[in-house]
Amino acid sequence: MSIGHTLLGLLEAGPRHGYDLKRTFDEKFGHDRPLHYGQVYSTMSRLLKNGLVEVDGTEPGSGPERKTYAITDAGITDVEQWLAQPEKPEPYLQSTLYTKVVLALLTGRGAADLLDVQRAEHLRLMRVLTDRKRGGDLADQLVCDHALFHLEADLRWLELTGARLDRLAAEVRK
């Protein structure tokens, strides 16, 4: 996820200071990985340097004055271009799980056991996400659905790989 573009997009609603940007980001996108304040301010500094935001004013605070940032026309254009670009699909061709299966086979360890443990972990996480989805708002439900669909694909791969372990073992040991 592009933190800079996301913060720029949040600024399109109107000027905000760093604390407001962090809070809104965390509410909308950071349920599992909230932003650190330092990340917000370093990103805003870079956006300011690149002319994508400007300081709209300052407010007194309990510490240093708070800068209020506003998006510039260049920032709006940058967000528009970013939103128009499709995300590169991630084919997962360099999977750590695949590497572990092959190494287990190469070293004579139980690849089937590895697949069983991984399957159990996937199912555990799927139960957690399903519970979270039941209690979440629409945005949280969509995020959980995205993760659940990926986990389902992983489970299909685990089953397929388990069915082909003997053949894979013969090929990797050549």
Side-chain angles (χ1 to χ4, degrees):
M1 172 188 308
S2 170
I3 304 297
H5 287 110
T6 305
L7 295 177
L8 282 172
L10 293 175
L11 283 172
E12 282 200 54
R16 297 175 179 210
H17 52 78
Y19 175 81
D20 286 338
L21 287 168
K22 179 199 175 347
R23 183 179 45 79
T24 304
F25 180 97
D26 290 351
E27 286 173 4
K28 302 288 184 196
F29 312 108
H31 290 101
D32 296 318
R33 198 180 298 172
L35 284 179
H36 296 286
Y37 284 105
Q39 193 173 13
V40 172
Y41 293 111
S42 64
T43 301
M44 295 312 297
S45 177
R46 183 177 42 80
L47 295 172
L48 185 63
K49 182 178 134 190
N50 293 335
L52 302 175
V53 299
E54 60 191 8
V55 176
D56 190 54
T58 56
E59 299 174 11
S62 58
E65 288 186 331
R66 291 192 217 175
K67 292 179 184 174
T68 303
Y69 298 96
I71 191 168
T72 63
D73 289 340
I76 292 170
T77 299
D78 197 56
V79 171
E80 286 173 352
Q81 290 172 348
W82 179 68
L83 290 172
Q85 292 295 316
E87 287 298 306
K88 181 182 176 191
E90 296 182 32
Y92 301 105
L93 295 176
Q94 294 296 322
S95 164
T96 302
L97 184 55
Y98 172 77
T99 301
K100 286 183 171 186
V101 169
V102 171
L103 285 175
L105 293 171
L106 285 173
T107 60
R109 292 181 171 90
D113 293 341
L114 184 151
L115 293 173
D116 288 342
V117 168
Q118 191 63 51
R119 184 179 302 104
E121 182 60 17
H122 271 61
L123 292 170
R124 183 199 65 76
L125 182 55
M126 289 176 84
R127 284 189 296 275
V128 168
L129 289 169
T130 300
D131 288 344
R132 176 177 162 182
K133 182 179 157 180
R134 281 189 196 111
D137 60 10
L138 180 58
D140 206 34
Q141 291 172 11
L142 289 171
V143 167
C144 289
D145 281 339
H146 187 263
L148 285 165
F149 292 146
H150 282 275
L151 290 169
E152 286 174 7
D154 286 351
L155 283 175
R156 288 194 311 267
W157 182 85
L158 290 167
E159 293 301 320
L160 180 64
T161 302
R164 295 177 172 173
L165 270 182
D166 291 339
R167 202 167 113 208
L168 180 60
E171 285 188 22
V172 299
R173 290 180 183 152
K174 284 182 186 178

